[in-house]
Amino acid sequence: DNITDKIERHWNLEDAPGNNGVRLLEAKAYSEDFFIDNELKLRFDFYLEKEKKLNLSLHLFTADGVHVLNTPSPTKELKVGQHSFDFHVPANFLNDITYSVKLMFIENNRNIFSMEDLLSFEMKENRKSDWYGKWKGAIRPSFDWVYSEGLN
């Protein structure tokens, strides 16, 4: 499997993975060429077979299994039907490595359905600096640095 094979996954309702009244219809990662200096967007479409108060919990991992982050969506009271959550990772936050996504559906602080390795994608370097070596770390946020000359 090429890593780009898992940037978008779709299921029809009859074949959609899920349980406990949740069916995952689509998971998608998209970005402009997957360069680290572009925003990364993740979208999750799902169907509820009954009303639920739930949230999604996204876990991001490196290819070698390092748990990079976990972020929850807001908890929502949702009716029967199709719903979507979108999650945006800001530009200049991820490193130029391969990541995978685990998604969990949480109801009453309990995992009611999850999928490991739901998505995987490789972020790429768009060389715009004087450094041409490999940046270390699972993430690579761009922080503001302020230079001052002399002592005050």
Side-chain angles (χ1 to χ4, degrees):
D1 261 350
N2 184 322
I3 198 70
T4 57
D5 289 345
K6 289 176 83 175
I7 61 170
E8 192 168 351
R9 299 178 74 185
H10 306 272
W11 297 271
N12 59 38
L13 186 56
E14 299 77 36
D15 299 327
N19 58 28
N20 294 308
V22 175
R23 297 282 174 249
L24 183 60
L25 300 173
E26 179 179 35
K28 180 178 180 180
Y30 51 105
S31 173
E32 187 178 327
D33 298 322
F34 288 87
F35 284 128
I36 62 170
D37 55 349
N38 293 322
E39 179 181 55
L40 172 71
K41 299 174 185 174
L42 301 167
R43 181 180 181 95
F44 305 100
D45 296 338
F46 56 98
Y47 184 87
L48 291 182
E49 297 169 348
K50 55 186 173 187
E51 289 186 13
K52 291 189 177 292
K53 182 177 180 180
L54 61 74
N55 71 284
L56 304 186
S57 180
L58 181 139
H59 298 257
L60 190 67
F61 295 89
T62 64
D64 55 356
V66 173
H67 198 172
V68 178
L69 62 84
N70 172 212
T71 182
S73 73
T75 299
K76 297 285 186 186
E77 302 242 5
L78 302 174
K79 299 187 182 308
V80 171
Q82 189 168 335
H83 304 275
S84 296
F85 275 105
D86 290 276
F87 172 67
H88 297 222
V89 179
N92 300 306
F93 181 79
L94 298 176
N95 205 348
D96 62 334
I97 61 175
T98 299
Y99 295 93
S100 69
V101 171
K102 173 184 178 180
L103 185 67
M104 300 170 68
F105 288 81
I106 308 296
E107 182 181 32
N108 298 321
N109 296 315
R110 192 173 64 84
N111 176 17
I112 60 169
F113 172 65
S114 64
M115 279 190 78
E116 309 253 349
D117 296 318
L118 174 61
L119 297 172
S120 54
F121 48 89
E122 182 178 4
M123 299 302 294
K124 296 178 279 190
E125 176 69 66
N126 192 3
R127 296 286 180 191
K128 292 182 181 175
S129 73
D130 296 331
W131 171 253
Y132 289 95
K134 176 71 178 143
W135 291 82
K136 303 292 184 190
I139 59 173
R140 186 169 141 185
S142 179
F143 295 113
D144 290 331
W145 284 67
V146 178
Y147 168 74
S148 298
E149 191 170 323
L151 299 173
N152 294 337

